Amino acid sequence: MDEPNNTIYALFKEQVSADPAKPAVIENDRVLSFGDLDQMTDRIAAGFPDKVQSVGIILHHRAEMIASILAVLRSGARYIPAEPDFPTGRIRDMMTEAQVDFILTEPDLLGKSEGFPVRMTDEILRDGAKPAAPPAAQDPEKPAYVLYTSGTTGRPKGVCVRNRNVCHYVRAFAEEFRPGPGDIMLQNSVCTFDIFVEEVFGSLLNGAALAIPAAEDWESVPASMAFAERHGVTMLSGFPYLLAQMNQLPEIPGTLRLLISGGDVLRGVYVTNLLDKAAVYNTYGPSETTVCATYYHCNTGKVLEDGTYPIGKPIRGVEIRILDPEGDKEVPAGETGEICILGDGVSMGYIGDHKEEQKAFVTLPDGTVMYRSGDLGYWLPDGNIAFLHRMDDQIMIYGKRVEIAEVTSRLMQCTNVRQAVVRALNDQYDLPYMVAYVVPEKPGLDIKKIREELAVNLPPYMIPEFFVEMQEIPLTLNGKPDTEKLPVVKKGEDHG
């Protein structure tokens, strides 16, 4: 696409110009119009130095966070988000690799930014800085953000997404879901996951409002639903587990018209009571290809034999190929292959030194870049795609990507660990969890200390639920860990 307004900031300004008085951000105690949000964005950008390239974002979820992101984009820079509860070691690695010019943060989060230049969003606004100079020249090819995901090399990797990639997705979202003035999207996701991109830009850049809950509204699904009811939320995007919990409620907000599931497998039993209350969609797409690559309308579809919904058909501007193990030929319909994605959503790839992982981005003879997802699936007779599972040992925990190799690498660096293997198992609901098998340097494993050491670099969902002290790790004839001979720890049982 060659639209001149193919940047996030340009599309935002279009909405400001169209109707500056319409609601943009809704909170419990205030509502900001598009005009208000635009002015806040200008004032925050006024506190930036010249020639900004890369800005870290460590802020609580509220209007100032959204304006800060827009201010970075207004300046022609890219933002690198980190949740306030992220481990400091992980934040340090992310911001160092991304070479941030500074981090936008707030006083109670200063400890997370240690070692980096910082600017306080609230201070900039309180100082009454003059509106920033005219926006930087808007270039669709410029990076918009870097999202960090778990990495196979033992450290997180940052996916760099262009402005035009996001604008492509905003248009595809609009084509399928028709958001606009009067619609309100619930901001439910963490800023480091691409559902956040869908929530924020899928709403605001299409003229809809964004409703941001307070901390107490995030404490439970009933509390989130009460917030949604109070503010007339019409759209919600989240992990399938959120929909599964909503499915158990007596009622959901009557204003909800659209429920989007993404980030993991959607099972039919998760939404049995929701299908007659709202449009329910199952979606699929790695962060590397900008949010979603496929949509499936569950209300008019059906569950597969394994109890899951298909992931659907390619969205506008996307092509899907299902290829053989060599990645050379497309497999016939019904045969299993690797899901490969082409089109406007394919990102710039990984920043920093990630040569091995970068091989997933394949440049074809015609110059087109294809992303090899590492996911297995097959074409259904009706042209939809069925998702099967990963080709490697990557798993999803609470909808978040976890590379077993990264967890193992961090575990091997812990005190008194001589050898370690991390294994993924599934519980009775077919949800994965991790068990760590550790051979200590000296007998007597201090699991509490290991958990504390892991928590410096790994978020809670990446720390194994169970630890088993081993005298040795059983090996195969090839000298690799024989995971089948490791003791199985079943979730929910008493392990003494």
Side-chain angles (χ1 to χ4, degrees):
M1 294 183 295
D2 297 317
E3 289 93 337
N5 55 354
N6 220 10
T7 68
I8 297 169
Y9 181 72
L11 291 185
F12 170 68
K13 288 295 284 187
E14 275 190 9
Q15 294 299 333
V16 174
S17 298
D19 185 359
K22 66 176 179 272
V25 177
I26 298 169
E27 297 174 351
N28 279 327
D29 55 357
R30 61 174 175 171
V31 176
L32 272 69
S33 68
F34 271 83
D36 295 333
L37 185 60
D38 185 39
Q39 290 177 20
M40 185 182 286
T41 297
D42 285 349
R43 290 169 60 199
I44 294 172
F48 292 2
D50 294 334
K51 298 181 180 179
V52 177
Q53 298 293 323
S54 193
V55 179
I57 300 278
I58 309 176
L59 293 165
H60 295 296
H61 289 237
R62 54 195 180 114
E64 284 78 2
M65 178 196 204
I66 306 303
S68 295
I69 288 171
L70 288 168
V72 173
L73 297 168
R74 182 193 192 281
S75 303
R78 66 186 186 186
Y79 70 91
I80 296 84
E83 282 294 324
D85 63 355
F86 256 38
T88 52
R90 196 173 188 83
I91 290 175
R92 182 184 62 246
D93 290 346
M94 291 164 50
M95 300 301 172
T96 298
E97 184 176 72
Q99 298 180 343
V100 297
D101 297 299
F102 59 92
I103 294 175
L104 276 173
T105 189
E106 42 200 308
D108 65 317
L109 302 177
L110 268 177
K112 297 287 185 175
S113 308
E114 191 173 341
F116 297 92
V118 297
R119 277 176 165 72
M120 305 286 190
T121 292
D122 287 347
E123 282 186 9
I124 294 172
L125 292 170
R126 192 166 53 246
D127 290 346
K130 294 180 180 179
Q138 295 293 298
D139 181 356
E141 295 301 320
K142 271 202 164 186
Y145 59 78
V146 177
L147 291 187
Y148 273 84
T149 66
S150 186
T152 55
T153 58
R155 57 193 176 93
K157 57 184 187 288
V159 180
C160 191
V161 178
R162 306 174 187 87
N163 270 269
R164 70 168 174 84
N165 296 139
V166 178
C167 294
H168 134 77
Y169 187 69
V170 167
R171 294 184 175 104
F173 186 89
E175 185 172 277
E176 186 71 35
F177 304 124
R178 305 293 178 187
D183 269 314
I184 301 172
M185 171 72 84
L186 181 66
Q187 203 288 280
N188 187 67
S189 176
V190 295
C191 64
T192 51
F193 197 69
D194 59 5
I195 288 179
F196 179 87
V197 174
E198 180 172 73
E199 290 171 346
V200 174
F201 300 131
S203 58
L204 294 179
L205 303 192
N206 284 308
L210 186 68
I212 306 179
E216 59 268 22
D217 300 314
W218 279 28
E219 291 178 353
S220 68
V221 172
S224 295
M225 291 302 101
F227 173 88
E229 183 83 63
R230 287 198 305 275
H231 298 289
V233 169
T234 62
M235 302 184 295
L236 179 153
S237 182
F239 298 129
Y241 324 114
L242 172 60
L243 269 62
Q245 290 175 283
M246 291 173 61
N247 197 55
Q248 302 303 314
L249 298 176
E251 292 294 335
I252 63 171
T255 52
L256 276 173
R257 69 170 184 86
L258 175 64
L259 302 174
I260 303 171
S261 174
D264 210 340
V265 173
L266 179 65
R267 300 184 178 279
V269 295
Y270 292 176
V271 295
T272 48
N273 299 324
L274 300 176
L275 296 174
D276 62 349
K277 297 174 182 174
V280 178
Y281 277 79
N282 187 29
T283 65
Y284 164 84
S287 299
E288 287 83 350
T289 59
T290 317
V291 194
C292 298
T294 65
Y295 291 151
Y296 185 77
H297 191 195
C298 300
N299 308 70
T300 58
K302 59 181 181 180
V303 174
L304 298 169
E305 288 184 6
D306 66 356
T308 67
Y309 276 106
I311 57 174
K313 297 177 180 179
I315 65 173
R316 166 185 167 165
V318 167
E319 178 188 351
I320 302 286
R321 298 178 187 174
I322 299 183
L323 303 182
D324 62 14
E326 289 72 36
D328 297 329
K329 296 179 182 178
E330 294 191 60
V331 300
E335 290 191 15
T336 299
E338 182 180 6
I339 300 172
C340 299
I341 304 166
L342 305 89
D344 295 330
V346 178
S347 69
M348 301 175 75
Y350 308 115
I351 67 170
D353 182 17
H354 290 273
K355 291 180 182 177
E356 192 60 35
E357 292 155 309
Q358 192 70 22
K359 291 177 181 177
F361 291 86
V362 179
T363 302
L364 304 179
D366 64 358
T368 302
V369 178
M370 176 179 73
Y371 177 68
R372 298 187 62 165
S373 71
D375 296 325
L376 293 178
Y378 60 91
W379 289 107
L380 295 163
D382 62 1
N384 284 293
I385 299 168
F387 172 89
L388 291 173
H389 53 79
R390 290 286 304 170
M391 295 169 60
D392 55 22
D393 64 358
Q394 181 190 110
I395 60 173
M396 302 294 283
I397 293 184
Y398 302 122
K400 299 175 179 68
R401 191 187 308 188
V402 177
E403 295 282 3
I404 298 293
E406 182 179 355
V407 180
T408 304
S409 175
R410 289 295 181 186
L411 184 56
M412 289 293 293
Q413 297 171 45
C414 290
T415 304
N416 196 33
V417 173
R418 178 164 62 84
Q419 193 178 3
V421 172
V422 178
R423 184 183 182 189
L425 299 170
N426 282 20
D427 66 15
Q428 60 181 323
Y429 304 107
D430 208 28
L431 299 176
Y433 62 97
M434 289 183 289
V435 180
Y437 302 87
V438 181
V439 179
E441 293 280 1
K442 300 175 182 177
L445 203 61
D446 188 340
I447 295 175
K448 182 174 182 291
K449 182 174 178 59
I450 287 178
R451 286 185 180 277
E452 289 172 351
E453 290 184 29
L454 289 175
V456 174
N457 292 289
L458 299 180
Y461 66 87
M462 289 185 69
I463 296 176
E465 288 195 48
F466 302 106
F467 290 80
V468 180
E469 183 172 344
M470 305 282 290
Q471 289 187 334
E472 62 180 15
I473 300 294
L475 303 176
T476 65
L477 293 175
N478 294 328
K480 295 182 178 180
D482 190 343
T483 55
E484 295 304 314
K485 291 183 179 178
L486 293 170
V488 173
V489 181
K490 290 189 176 179
K491 193 173 180 181
E493 292 187 358
D494 183 6
H495 304 289

